[in-house]
Amino acid sequence: MYAADTTTISQEVGGTGRSREISIGRRFYSQDYVRAKDGRYTWKSPSVLGKWSYGQNFPGVVRGEDLINGINPGFLRLGAFNTAYSADGGTFEGVRTTVFNGVVTVPELGERQAGMFFGTEQEDGSWRGSITWKLWVGPDNLPRRFHAVLRFAPTHGGGGVETMTMNTIYRGWGSPVKITAPPKHLITDDW
């Protein structure tokens, strides 16, 4: 992956969270906030809405075969190794699909800039758990949709199980993609 433009929407204690990250090579731009039901922003990064924080990606931050998604060969191998099943997936956005699905339990689950990741050996991570996943693939063998439910359990006892749901849609295969950096006047070093 050379460039990515990702938006994440999440339900947080204080309201709805929204983050957008743009990576181009090792350059990284981000905007994050949590907005309460009454419209107030309870958290912003950077502190001025509409601005972008800037940084440099470390090698391996945006790449790696340990990312949980429907286009990562490492995750696909892990899923296939742990008994994946296939069936008629119906039609998704006008394309007939086959759905592959399975469940895998891993000794490490975590998050980094590029997304959620798994580990096959327990490291210094504080979470382990299961990944229940489905991948819809078109007749051209290209992914169309990926859905996963991650159940996080603390590695060192205590605390309850946390759940996260991922839903990714893949479109525009073969179409040119242009990801551009935010304008310079919107970039700040405020994190």
Side-chain angles (χ1 to χ4, degrees):
M1 175 187 78
Y2 174 75
D5 186 341
T6 306
T7 299
T8 302
I9 299 171
S10 59
Q11 293 307 310
E12 306 292 335
V13 174
T16 301
R18 185 176 180 95
S19 66
R20 183 172 175 203
E21 289 96 20
I22 296 174
S23 288
I24 302 172
R26 292 195 55 199
R27 293 175 289 149
F28 175 72
Y29 308 89
S30 69
Q31 297 176 318
D32 301 286
Y33 64 82
V34 176
R35 190 173 184 179
K37 289 182 181 180
D38 65 6
R40 287 181 306 112
Y41 291 92
T42 60
W43 185 80
K44 293 182 280 190
S45 176
S47 59
V48 176
L49 204 60
K51 293 283 189 175
W52 291 82
S53 296
Y54 169 78
Q56 288 282 330
N57 289 322
F58 295 110
V61 169
V62 294
R63 298 164 190 83
E65 295 219 355
D66 58 353
L67 294 175
I68 301 168
N69 64 52
I71 59 173
N72 182 358
F75 180 77
L76 296 174
R77 278 192 301 275
L78 177 74
F81 180 74
N82 286 281
T83 315
Y85 300 95
S86 66
D88 180 350
T91 302
F92 183 73
E93 295 188 333
V95 177
R96 292 287 305 155
T97 63
T98 300
V99 63
F100 297 88
N101 61 77
V103 178
V104 61
T105 300
V106 292
E108 183 178 23
L109 283 173
E111 178 182 17
R112 68 174 184 259
Q113 187 175 311
M116 303 309 296
F117 71 89
F118 67 92
T120 55
E121 296 179 15
Q122 186 175 346
E123 298 286 332
D124 293 331
S126 59
W127 300 96
R128 59 181 161 67
S130 66
I131 306 164
T132 303
W133 61 274
K134 291 183 180 183
L135 176 65
W136 287 262
V137 177
D140 51 7
N141 292 320
L142 293 174
R144 304 300 171 158
R145 180 179 175 208
F146 178 73
H147 179 84
V149 177
L150 287 67
R151 289 185 177 78
F152 298 83
T155 301
H156 302 293
V161 174
E162 300 284 333
T163 302
M164 175 186 183
T165 301
M166 299 171 62
N167 192 37
T168 306
I169 297 172
Y170 303 100
R171 294 186 175 122
W173 290 106
S175 302
V177 175
K178 182 169 173 76
I179 296 174
T180 57
K184 288 185 181 183
H185 72 278
L186 295 179
I187 297 171
T188 179
D189 59 2
D190 174 20
W191 285 91

